[in-house]
Amino acid sequence: MKFTSNCLTISKTKLKTHKDASLILKKAKSISKELGVIDDDLYKHHTTMTNYLYVDAPINKMVNAVVTYDVLYFLDDFFGEDTNKGLLVDLKKVLAIWAGNTQYSDSNTKIDNLYKSIFYISNSIKKDSPSYFFNKYTQSITEHLSYSLKSIPYTTVDEYIAIRLYTGGMFPVIDLIEYIHSIYISPEILNKVSLIKKLREQCALIGALSNDLFSYAKEKHSNYNLINAYLLSNEADNYNDAVNKSIIKVNTIHSEFQLTLERIVQKSTELNPTHRAIVLKYIDAINVIVSSSYHWQKSTKRYLHSENIFEDMKV
């Protein structure tokens, strides 16, 4: 059985990128290089991602977003569950630095650079956004880090997906929509349109689980991949069955996402003009993130591999 990336329904979404992509990357690279969170061998192909995620935002905020992802990729690639080489970071220190409470240094250059870069980017965002947003974004970062830096067992695919919702790092990506576009989902709006929480989770799973498929060739040694979750839980008969069921799972969540989006559009008609404009802009932006879950992963060289599960991404 052969599969192509077009088996994913997110392949039918429209490709969009930021018109000032080159300038944004140039400015961000200068900052990330100074912070010491650029490592060409590990993640030289990730940096274009941000210009697919947010396509019509101000340059200064886009630069901060690129640097934020440089820092998070640096963390995942050097200190993650299946990539660390004995280097360990103190999560309590990381979170204290993020909150702006203090600064730490370390004798190891990579850990020291991580601490320094977290302090830089958290303060950049904190001084340019409402406190309730920074608190929410801090929660997203905290959940991602606490899940990413430890191994959590599972026995079923559903349990794996519940873990992946946080290890995937998509909540920080989604929540940054508000900062990037200055369209903050206040507690008042969320109370009136509670379906936004469901849409956010569905978008997060689309991004995280589709990444499991695109990156499987490089992650097949890890238990933390949807395909392996189907195999390890015995919920698939063999590799091909696991790949097929994984594709169906992502497509099912995408279909549910579209239904939730339609319900939010209908609900938005009950809001006042200011809140309705915020909600409509937000769901437009979250649609872009779903689109990027296919188009960036398809275009970047990061996932090209001779054993990629998708025939059109083999080299």
Side-chain angles (χ1 to χ4, degrees):
M1 186 181 298
K2 292 185 177 181
F3 306 94
T4 69
S5 65
N6 288 330
C7 293
L8 292 169
T9 56
I10 55 175
S11 66
K12 308 300 189 296
T13 58
K14 186 177 180 180
L15 166 62
K16 296 181 179 180
T17 57
H18 201 290
K19 63 182 180 62
D20 295 310
S22 297
L23 177 60
I24 291 165
L25 294 178
K26 182 179 179 180
K27 288 178 175 289
K29 183 177 181 180
S30 176
I31 296 171
S32 293
K33 190 172 183 180
E34 184 175 345
L35 291 170
V37 291
I38 289 180
D39 186 286
D40 288 340
D41 291 336
L42 279 179
Y43 60 91
K44 59 186 176 181
H45 297 304
H46 90 270
T47 191
T48 57
M49 176 185 69
T50 310
N51 288 309
Y52 283 74
L53 292 170
Y54 319 106
V55 298
D56 56 357
I59 291 175
N60 65 314
K61 288 195 170 184
M62 288 294 294
V63 170
N64 281 343
V66 175
V67 176
T68 298
Y69 296 133
D70 282 348
V71 173
L72 291 177
Y73 266 88
F74 183 78
L75 174 69
D76 285 344
D77 283 337
F78 278 108
F79 311 108
E81 169 264 330
D82 63 344
T83 55
N84 79 71
K85 308 300 180 187
L87 293 176
L88 299 174
V89 295
D90 188 322
L91 181 57
K92 290 182 179 179
K93 288 183 179 179
V94 168
L95 297 179
I97 294 168
W98 178 271
N101 295 335
T102 186
Q103 283 184 275
Y104 291 99
S105 59
D106 196 276
S107 57
N108 182 278
T109 301
K110 285 185 169 60
I111 295 178
D112 193 57
N113 287 344
L114 175 67
Y115 290 163
K116 179 174 61 178
S117 61
I118 288 174
F119 182 81
Y120 169 84
I121 196 60
S122 65
N123 276 276
S124 297
I125 295 174
K126 187 176 185 179
K127 70 182 183 182
D128 195 24
S129 62
S131 59
Y132 67 80
F133 166 77
F134 186 77
N135 291 338
K136 178 169 68 174
Y137 192 60
T138 295
Q139 182 179 346
S140 295
I141 294 290
T142 301
E143 289 172 340
H144 173 62
L145 295 181
S146 63
Y147 274 79
S148 297
L149 297 177
K150 63 183 177 182
S151 178
I152 304 173
Y154 66 87
T155 58
T156 68
V157 170
D158 283 345
E159 287 178 0
Y160 168 75
I161 290 174
I163 296 168
R164 192 70 172 112
L165 186 63
Y166 296 99
T167 62
M170 287 299 296
F171 283 147
V173 169
I174 295 166
D175 290 343
L176 209 59
I177 284 175
E178 299 177 50
Y179 167 77
I180 288 290
H181 294 292
S182 299
I183 48 165
Y184 298 103
I185 304 296
S186 65
E188 182 183 1
I189 292 176
L190 194 57
N191 184 54
K192 292 179 179 177
V193 192
S194 58
L195 281 171
I196 288 175
K197 183 177 183 291
K198 184 176 183 179
L199 190 76
R200 177 175 171 268
E201 292 179 352
Q202 291 166 336
C203 177
L205 286 177
I206 291 168
L209 298 180
S210 65
N211 178 258
D212 281 0
L213 302 182
F214 282 106
S215 61
Y216 182 72
K218 295 181 180 180
E219 295 181 350
K220 58 183 179 181
H221 64 284
S222 173
N223 291 348
Y224 290 90
N225 184 285
L226 182 61
I227 293 172
N228 283 342
Y230 273 105
L231 293 171
L232 292 170
S233 65
N234 294 316
E235 293 181 46
D237 296 331
N238 51 52
Y239 167 76
N240 280 337
D241 187 37
V243 173
N244 188 53
K245 285 181 175 176
S246 296
I247 291 171
I248 291 172
K249 174 62 71 174
V250 175
N251 288 346
T252 298
I253 296 171
H254 183 216
S255 177
E256 293 168 349
F257 167 86
Q258 292 172 311
L259 291 174
T260 304
L261 190 147
E262 291 175 4
R263 291 174 63 191
I264 291 175
V265 171
Q266 294 172 355
K267 186 67 177 178
S268 71
T269 60
E270 302 173 11
L271 303 176
N272 66 50
T274 300
H275 286 174
R276 184 169 190 268
I278 290 173
V279 169
L280 292 180
K281 176 63 179 177
Y282 180 83
I283 63 175
D284 180 61
I286 212 169
N287 249 329
V288 171
I289 288 180
V290 168
S291 171
S292 72
S293 296
Y294 176 79
H295 294 290
W296 176 73
Q297 294 191 115
K298 178 68 188 296
S299 66
T300 180
K301 295 179 181 179
R302 184 178 175 90
Y303 303 117
L304 296 178
H305 195 281
S306 59
E307 297 179 20
N308 193 294
I309 68 166
F310 296 129
E311 294 296 321
D312 54 323
M313 294 187 69
K314 290 183 176 181
V315 290

